Amino acid sequence: MDVRAALQPWRQRFSFDRARSLAGWRTSQALLGRRYTQRGLRIVPQATPEPDLATLQARDGRRLVGTLSVRVDGPNGLAADGVFPDEVAALRTQGWRLCEFTRLAVEGEQPSKAVLASLFHLAYLYAHRIKSADLVIMEVHPRHAPFYRRMLGAEVVASGRDNPTVQAPSVLMRVELAHIQEQVRRLGGRPELADTERSLFPLGYAPSEEPMLIERLRAEI
């Protein structure tokens, strides 16, 4: 299959950005609630957007098909502090500037890798290039850990915990944003490598596209 040719109409069909309004943010909450419930997970509804949470969205026309949020460490801490307080505190002590990728939901039982690649690329740009974080942590279900290991190069920090927020087991994973930056530099925007490179990076944006994306993300702040 000519992956590059197949990706061009996909790029024209889908759009990616930060949630621009309360109504847009609520559509992300609705998608999260629906997808989590379908997977037998619980999610606590939020009445209003968190000030330190950036919500990214993927749309097929006007229909929301994916969402991913980025929370940067600050006075209110991170969601992972609730289940993995000692591990997160140790990372802070080591001098890492932390953020977390959270609240991922994508339509379909087999989510498009290209949608995931673009969402995670924007999350990386927001966290690293705009907010100057250098380490991302993620709480994921144990069965999803191999996916994040293959697709992002993440590694498990701690496992064997129950997350009462979603009423499911959880592992804590981490990946250095410098690693993501290097993979984007090497593989980003090269979809012809997608059949042989087992990661999301070839289906993400090319490095030459990043200045425009950063400008657009900054404009939403």
Side-chain angles (χ1 to χ4, degrees):
M1 181 183 69
D2 186 342
V3 181
R4 182 178 293 277
L7 191 61
Q8 287 305 115
W10 175 87
R11 286 280 195 218
Q12 297 168 8
R13 174 180 169 183
F14 289 87
S15 61
F16 300 86
D17 214 330
R18 286 184 64 185
R20 296 172 179 270
S21 64
L22 179 61
W25 175 81
R26 284 174 174 165
T27 61
S28 282
Q29 293 298 297
L31 176 59
L32 282 163
R34 184 171 67 256
R35 293 297 292 145
Y36 274 50
T37 298
Q38 290 170 348
R39 289 180 289 173
L41 302 174
R42 175 178 177 266
I43 187 168
V44 178
Q46 294 179 293
T48 57
E50 296 178 39
D52 56 351
L53 192 73
T55 297
L56 306 172
Q57 298 182 320
R59 292 184 177 275
D60 181 358
R62 299 183 65 181
R63 185 172 71 97
L64 184 71
V65 295
T67 184
L68 172 67
S69 292
V70 182
R71 182 183 287 107
V72 178
D73 202 10
N76 295 324
L78 300 170
D81 284 306
V83 180
F84 299 96
D86 294 338
E87 291 81 2
V88 176
L91 293 173
R92 292 190 182 104
T93 300
Q94 293 167 20
W96 293 105
R97 297 187 299 276
L98 302 179
C99 69
E100 60 187 355
F101 293 172
T102 184
R103 292 179 170 254
L104 171 66
V106 180
E107 290 285 17
E109 292 306 312
Q110 295 295 326
S112 165
K113 285 177 65 176
V115 168
L116 290 169
S118 295
L119 284 172
F120 277 109
H121 197 145
L122 290 180
Y124 146 73
L125 289 175
Y126 178 80
H128 189 51
R129 303 286 294 279
I130 294 177
K131 291 297 187 178
S132 300
D134 55 19
L135 187 75
V136 59
I137 58 176
M138 300 172 288
E139 292 179 90
V140 307
H141 194 284
R143 67 172 176 263
H144 297 152
F147 170 85
Y148 288 99
R149 187 179 297 113
R150 291 194 310 270
M151 295 298 147
L152 294 177
E155 61 182 2
V156 173
V157 178
S159 59
R161 309 283 175 84
D162 288 326
N163 187 331
T165 302
V166 295
Q167 296 182 347
S170 178
V171 302
L172 183 69
M173 305 192 76
R174 56 170 273 177
V175 58
E176 294 183 29
L177 289 168
H179 167 77
I180 294 180
Q181 183 176 38
E182 173 58 22
Q183 298 308 303
V184 168
R185 185 197 65 78
R186 189 170 64 90
L187 301 168
R190 301 182 64 188
E192 69 275 11
L193 301 179
D195 288 336
T196 55
E197 172 65 33
R198 298 186 67 192
S199 77
L200 292 177
F201 300 109
L203 296 177
Y205 296 98
S208 61
E209 298 178 89
E210 291 188 338
M212 175 271 293
L213 296 168
I214 292 170
E215 182 178 356
R216 195 168 77 203
L217 288 170
R218 286 188 187 277
E220 299 299 321
I221 298 174

